[in-house]
Amino acid sequence: MSRTTTAAPAVRPYQSYVYAYPHKTAYRPLADRPELRGLWAGERKDALSLYLHIPFCEVRCGFCNLFTRIGAPDELTTRYLDALDRQATAVRDALGDEGPVRFAAAAFGGGTPTFLTAAELERLCDIAEKRMGADLRSVPLSVETSPSTATADRLAVLADRGTTRISIGVQSFVEAEARAAVRPQRRADVEAALDRIRDARIPVLNIDLIYGIDGQTEDSWRTSLDAALGWRPEELYLYPLYVRPLTGLGRLGADGAAAADAAWDEQRLRLYRAGRDHLLAHGYEQVSMRMFRRADAPRTDGPDDYACQTDGMIGLGCGARSYTTKLHYSFDYAVEMREVRAIIDGYAATEDFSRAEVGRYVDGDEARRRHLLQSVLQAEGLQLADYRERFGTSPADDFPHELARFEARGWLDGASGVLRLSPEGLAHSDALGPELFSPGVRAAMAAYELK
């Protein structure tokens, strides 16, 4: 008697970019609206990370689902910074003075923080320093920018206030590809912005590039990679293109055809491998699926090295998250422009920031999942002794079925004392990560109503 075996279906490599766990679509309004003072009372506060969110951009890229809006009419940036100041005052008061409060890293993100004028950036830094007590000149400070807003006066402010890392979203040096991604820009303008950044002498330059754009080939991808390498950036991020609902590309219908197209998966995976190999051959080290660092670059120990598995996070602004050991909290989340505008307007009018409004409790099994996720998706992997010291168990005890699947697929490298991904495991990070989501988080994300 013969027996027929059926091969397991291929795992789609691009399912979800896991940059934080749980995702905001798993957050819900907190019925008890807990006071921040109580939430932070028993927390360690001597190695916090500070994140200030600026939800404004000069243009919204077709692939973008970040919490941001185009423009800021009627002095909205002023009103937003006023609210950010009120929130910072309330949060610093909630942290108390019973124990040491110290910020080990800071970041300004968005949106585009350099949408703000030079004077407004000065005020943003003042909020971080004078309200929160962060010493920006003595801790790593990372700031995101764009080609059109990386002006000399803004960069001078950032350099003077201690910025150690600037990250610029270029996405593609090929103008036709930039247009296809609904990010109209001229290469000459991009190059001029990069020139100004280098003139500002900020220690670490990061350039973001995207692969998987319609019409992109290995040759055109190499063109962008080589153009970026010409600036000898200390870091490079290579992002796969995602087309998500309610984004510009999503409205064009690409989410129906391209996102379900196995050929697109194959294209992105091929371009990822080509990009990875090209950067490794040019003296870069792989830090994660997305991040590559020049081997001789200065180490500023910026936010990418922040121990997010164990340290707390203070997020200021309507798109920022805060983390305690048991609760992740933020404000409402949306992608559609009308909803985003309403949330920003509501934030700018808020007077009382003393309570957590929206979030999700992350303890017990969820804390283990988060620690595993945030560690194993880094190329250096998870130190098993650290996990056991924190939880009293091993990942194999807590996640035997998931790890067995990853092992069977060749995604683990079998190093002693470390749970580390193989090169193929890193390549499939966006498939591996979602498989570690808990049933409860999956259900909450599935039930979230997109807006």
Side-chain angles (χ1 to χ4, degrees):
M1 182 176 67
S2 63
R3 183 174 61 185
T4 302
T5 59
T6 302
V11 178
R12 294 201 63 199
Y14 299 102
Q15 297 179 27
S16 177
Y17 171 24
V18 183
Y19 58 90
Y21 178 80
H23 190 270
K24 275 190 181 180
T25 53
Y27 290 12
R28 293 294 184 272
L30 298 166
D32 55 346
R33 298 180 63 243
E35 288 190 345
L36 301 187
R37 182 177 291 274
L39 289 176
W40 286 98
E43 299 287 319
R44 281 191 59 181
K45 291 166 277 192
D46 59 345
L48 297 172
S49 184
L50 178 64
Y51 178 77
L52 277 67
H53 177 250
I54 303 300
F56 307 111
C57 289
E58 73 282 5
V59 65
R60 185 157 184 153
C61 304
F63 50 83
C64 179
N65 73 334
L66 297 178
F67 188 88
T68 187
R69 61 161 292 165
I70 300 170
D74 303 322
E75 298 185 339
L76 181 55
T77 55
T78 298
R79 290 185 284 118
Y80 185 85
L81 289 171
D82 289 345
L84 201 67
D85 198 320
R86 293 193 297 272
Q87 186 188 8
T89 301
V91 171
R92 183 60 187 86
D93 180 65
L95 291 176
D97 296 308
E98 294 79 13
V101 176
R102 174 182 171 271
F103 292 96
F108 302 158
T112 308
T114 50
F115 179 90
L116 300 178
T117 65
E120 289 170 333
L121 285 171
E122 292 276 17
R123 185 179 180 195
L124 186 69
C125 292
D126 284 345
I127 290 171
E129 292 192 326
K130 296 177 180 179
R131 294 291 185 261
M132 295 304 301
D135 186 352
L136 297 182
R137 291 183 177 86
S138 65
V139 302
L141 171 60
S142 178
V143 182
E144 296 172 10
T145 191
S146 67
S148 63
T149 62
T151 59
D153 59 338
R154 292 175 170 104
L155 293 169
V157 168
L158 294 176
D160 180 65
R161 299 301 290 259
T163 301
T164 55
R165 177 181 183 270
I166 193 107
S167 179
I168 183 168
V170 173
Q171 320 315 351
S172 178
F173 284 87
V174 179
E175 293 183 11
E177 291 179 3
R179 289 193 299 272
V182 194
R183 185 190 175 88
Q185 63 188 18
R186 297 190 313 129
R187 178 168 173 173
D189 295 335
V190 172
E191 301 273 4
L194 288 166
D195 199 33
R196 291 191 295 271
I197 291 171
R198 281 309 197 195
D199 284 345
R201 300 188 180 278
I202 292 170
V204 173
L205 164 65
N206 173 71
I207 296 176
D208 289 345
L209 298 176
I210 284 181
Y211 55 92
I213 299 170
D214 188 30
Q216 193 174 46
T217 66
E218 287 192 45
D219 285 342
S220 67
W221 178 225
R222 179 73 64 89
T223 295
S224 279
L225 290 167
D226 286 340
L229 288 171
W231 291 94
R232 287 188 49 79
E234 285 71 25
E235 295 175 5
L236 274 160
Y237 268 71
L238 309 185
Y239 287 97
L241 178 64
Y242 276 96
V243 177
R244 300 177 177 93
L246 303 183
T247 62
L249 288 176
R251 290 190 184 91
L252 291 174
D255 57 332
D261 190 351
W264 192 35
D265 282 346
E266 191 277 332
Q267 178 211 21
R268 285 180 289 178
L269 199 54
R270 183 178 70 254
L271 293 175
Y272 159 78
R273 289 171 173 149
R276 174 199 62 193
D277 294 347
H278 196 60
L279 295 186
L280 293 178
H282 281 77
Y284 284 75
E285 301 170 338
Q286 187 165 17
V287 179
S288 67
M289 173 187 168
R290 288 164 171 75
M291 181 182 177
F292 295 80
R293 180 186 289 124
R294 210 179 72 213
D296 63 346
R299 294 295 299 270
T300 60
D301 293 323
D304 295 294
D305 302 299
Y306 161 70
C308 58
Q309 302 93 327
T310 56
D311 296 332
M313 163 81 82
I314 295 292
L316 303 178
C318 58
R321 319 161 188 255
S322 296
Y323 306 146
T324 70
T325 53
K326 294 184 179 179
L327 178 68
H328 293 190
Y329 62 93
S330 184
F331 296 91
D332 201 3
Y333 171 74
V335 175
E336 200 276 325
M337 187 61 70
R338 180 175 52 192
E339 298 285 349
V340 169
R341 287 172 177 166
I343 293 171
I344 293 172
D345 288 343
Y347 173 85
T350 298
E351 295 292 336
D352 182 4
F353 288 101
S354 64
R355 294 177 178 271
E357 303 289 344
V358 177
R360 188 174 185 88
Y361 285 94
V362 181
D363 50 13
D365 172 72
E366 295 290 20
R368 287 172 163 82
R369 288 180 184 275
R370 179 172 184 262
H371 190 99
L372 177 60
L373 264 170
Q374 303 284 52
S375 301
V376 79
L377 293 181
Q378 300 296 305
E380 65 183 12
L382 168 65
Q383 295 291 330
L384 297 178
D386 292 346
Y387 187 96
R388 183 171 291 279
E389 180 180 357
R390 182 175 184 189
F391 298 111
T393 56
S394 74
D397 296 329
D398 297 334
F399 307 101
H401 303 299
E402 293 92 335
L403 294 183
R405 286 200 304 272
F406 302 157
E407 178 71 33
R409 295 170 185 162
W411 290 357
L412 304 179
D413 82 347
S416 177
V418 181
L419 184 61
R420 181 184 295 132
L421 298 184
S422 66
E424 274 305 286
L426 278 175
H428 287 80
S429 292
D430 285 4
L432 183 150
E435 289 197 33
L436 289 172
F437 292 3
S438 71
V441 165
R442 288 176 184 273
M445 292 176 68
Y448 176 80
E449 184 176 346
L450 288 173
K451 59 182 180 179

